[in-house]
């Protein structure tokens, strides 16, 4: 047999070897993550449920899903072990301490331009509690405008089929 005839088979075998090697590596990382679980850590199951690890056994994990709710899962059903910050953010809605984010730029520029004196019409409008006219009409104004249009229409002579506005 010729070497060129064997080349496609060699490439195919090499590709299969590389794919199985990467899959095996991912499985080992997942198994290591599951073995490092300890009571008190937050987890997400493969079904998407968030809980706290209560007890770790050889093949099973006892999870605390809420007050008085203990669930027994297989270790293979744990999809991810979460950090404390991530678990609290997702489950309890608690953000991490924002003191470390002191150098961040604020959402608006008002804190960058703060002065003791306020000048201009924008500052006066912001300081007053009066309604600001945005060009929208209230329901009462709409009714008055509709009544005025009806009165104007009554004053004009009615057109018949043969009449037109063209001159």
């Amino acid at each position: 047999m010729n070497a060129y005839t064997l080349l496609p088979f060699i490439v195919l075998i090499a590709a299969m070897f590389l794919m199985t090697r990467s899959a095996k590596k991912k499985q080992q990382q997942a198994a290591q993550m599951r073995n490092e679980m300890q009571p008190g850590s937050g987890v997400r199951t493969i079904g998407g449920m968030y809980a706290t690890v209560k007890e770790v056994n050889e093949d099973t994990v006892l999870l605390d899903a809420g007050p008085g709710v203990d669930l027994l899962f297989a270790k293979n059903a744990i999809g991810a072990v979460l950090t404390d910050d991530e678990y609290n953010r997702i489950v309890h809605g608690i953000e991490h301490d924002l003191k470390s984010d002191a150098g961040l730029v604020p959402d608006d520029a008002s804190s960058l331009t703060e002065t003791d004196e306020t000048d201009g019409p924008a500052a006066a409008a912001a300081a007053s509690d009066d309604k600001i006219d945005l060009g929208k009409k209230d329901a009462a104004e709409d009714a008055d405008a509709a009544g005025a249009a009806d009165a104007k229409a009554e004053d004009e002579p009615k057109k018949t089929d043969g009449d037109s506005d063209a001159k």
Side-chain angles (χ1 to χ4, degrees):
M1 253 191 176
N2 187 334
Y4 292 115
T5 309
L6 293 176
L7 187 63
F9 294 111
I10 293 171
V11 171
L12 183 64
I13 291 171
M16 288 174 43
F17 174 74
L18 290 175
M19 288 191 310
T20 57
R21 187 172 147 217
S22 65
K24 189 180 234 184
K25 194 178 217 181
K26 287 180 184 179
Q27 287 176 349
Q28 288 175 347
Q29 287 176 345
Q32 180 183 1
M33 178 239 353
R34 290 182 186 112
N35 289 333
E36 292 176 355
M37 275 189 299
Q38 296 189 8
S41 59
V43 295
R44 181 184 68 235
T45 66
I46 58 173
M49 185 182 73
Y50 293 92
T52 305
V53 176
K54 193 170 187 180
E55 183 180 316
V56 179
N57 298 320
E58 182 137 348
D59 293 331
T60 60
V61 178
L62 185 65
L63 300 178
D64 182 19
V69 180
D70 293 336
L71 304 169
L72 186 64
F73 275 84
K75 267 190 178 180
N76 291 338
I78 304 301
V81 178
L82 307 172
T83 63
D84 290 338
D85 288 340
E86 186 178 13
Y87 181 78
N88 287 331
R89 180 182 57 80
I90 293 170
V91 175
H92 303 294
I94 299 171
E95 293 292 330
H96 68 285
D97 189 15
L98 295 177
K99 291 179 184 177
S100 63
D101 296 339
L104 292 179
V105 177
D107 290 340
D108 61 348
S110 62
S111 64
L112 300 175
T113 59
E114 287 180 359
T115 59
D116 293 337
E117 301 175 15
T118 55
D119 296 329
S128 70
D129 290 338
D130 297 336
K131 287 186 177 180
I132 298 173
D133 182 23
L134 298 176
K136 294 183 178 180
K137 296 180 181 178
D138 290 338
E141 292 176 3
D142 288 342
D144 291 342
D150 290 342
K152 185 178 179 184
E154 289 175 1
D155 292 343
E156 294 180 6
K158 305 251 181 193
K159 294 181 183 176
T160 60
D161 290 337
D163 294 340
S164 68
D165 287 333
K167 291 186 182 181

